[in-house]
């Protein structure tokens, strides 16, 4: 690279400076007048001039020779400050190119195609990891290779399936939450049932005590029952005897039953005849009433007739 006096540390001496470019000698060559210039600078000068730039001595390109090795060594040992922003290193000119190849502050291009970004070498690794032009492989299953920017908009079927699976998972989570609430409700209900069961258990114990008391009373009652059973056996024999006597009288009862039925039929006939007699009585009653009315009319006529005659 072209190096100027202000780039050197310490500042560059004039003996090692090219009179044409005013920079550090590069590939120095010596003229016949022993003036030293950069090879590139003097060759460009001689295209339009045939004299030394300093002393005006006639000079030809064929007469140029490499500078003395001492001068070349002095040029190679000049300390130059690194131009990379942030780098404070000072290295010999002969090692400057090598230093630039490893300088952590040297701006280098991104190795990915299509990426025009330049950054210091020490930040290149971080940039490479996040570069939108880095090549990636779809990790959802299709295996397609593409840049990171393209991968962001990559509509992979497996990705869509994953989204569906996530949606289904979210649905199951909600269902599980509902079931968890249901289980919690059932746990509370079970706790209430257990409390109620304990209450019923105490009541059952009280009832058991009462039942035991009743059983004792029942035992006493059964003893009394056996006592009265023994007394009831003679009465049972007496009742059986009465039943036998009653069965003997059943035959006579049937005879009187037949007689009662005959009397009932006779009474029914009498009632029928009596009904007929009542009808005849009503008929004769009407005849008598009619006769009475006729007699009254005749009497009235008899009373009325003499009166009419006298008139």
């Amino acid at each position: 690279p072209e190096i100027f006096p202000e780039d050197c540390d310490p500042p560059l001496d004039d003996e090692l400076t090219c009179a044409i470019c005013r920079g550090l000698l590069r590939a120095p060559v010596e003229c016949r007048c022993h003036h030293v210039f950069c090879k590139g600078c003097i060759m460009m000068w001689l295209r339009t001039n045939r004299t030394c730039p300093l002393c005006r001595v006639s000079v030809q390109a064929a007469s140029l020779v490499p500078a003395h090795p001492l001068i070349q060594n002095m040029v190679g040992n000049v300390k130059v400050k690194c131009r990379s922003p942030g780098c404070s290193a000072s290295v010999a000119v002969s090692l400057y190119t090598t230093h630039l190849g490893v300088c952590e502050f040297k701006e280098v291009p991104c190795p990915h195609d299509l990426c025009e970004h330049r950054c210091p070498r020490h930040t290149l690794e971080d940039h490479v990891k996040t570069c939108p032009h880095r090549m990636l492989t779809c990790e959802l299953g299709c295996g397609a290779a593409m840049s990171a920017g393209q991968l962001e908009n990559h509509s992979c079927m497996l990705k869509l399936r994953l989204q569906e699976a996530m949606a289904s998972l979210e649905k199951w989570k909600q269902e599980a939450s509902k079931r968890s609430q249901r289980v919690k409700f059932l746990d509370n209900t079970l706790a209430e049932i257990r409390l109620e069961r304990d209450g019923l258990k105490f009541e059952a114990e009280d009832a058991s005590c009462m039942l035991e008391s009743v059983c004792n009373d029942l035992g006493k009652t059964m003893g009394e029952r056996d006592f009265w059973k023994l007394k009831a056996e003679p009465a049972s024999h007496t009742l059986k005897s009465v039943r036998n006597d009653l069965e003997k009288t059943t035959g006579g009862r049937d005879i009187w039953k037949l007689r009662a039925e005959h009397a009932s039929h006779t009474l029914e006939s009498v009632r029928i005849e009596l009904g007929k007699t009542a009808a005849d009585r009503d008929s004769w009653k009407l005849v008598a009433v009619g006769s009475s009315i006729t007699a009254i009319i005749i009497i009235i006529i008899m009373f009325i007739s003499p009166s009419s005659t006298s008139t």
Side-chain angles (χ1 to χ4, degrees), residues 186-223:
L186 293 176
D187 288 340
N188 294 333
T189 305
L190 180 60
E192 294 176 357
I193 292 174
R194 286 176 177 173
L195 292 175
E196 186 177 357
R197 180 200 63 185
D198 294 338
L200 293 175
K201 183 178 179 181
F202 292 136
E203 293 180 2
E205 290 177 353
D206 294 339
S208 177
C209 295
M210 293 178 63
L211 180 61
E212 186 176 356
S213 176
V214 170
C215 288
N216 294 331
D217 295 340
L218 182 60
K220 295 178 181 179
T221 304
M222 290 180 69

Side-chain angles (χ1 to χ4, degrees), residues 125-150:
E125 184 177 357
D126 295 335
H127 168 73
V128 169
K129 292 180 180 178
T130 59
C131 179
H133 296 282
R134 69 187 186 280
M135 297 303 294
L136 298 175
T137 302
C138 178
E139 298 179 354
L140 299 178
C142 68
M146 61 193 73
S147 65
Q150 293 174 337

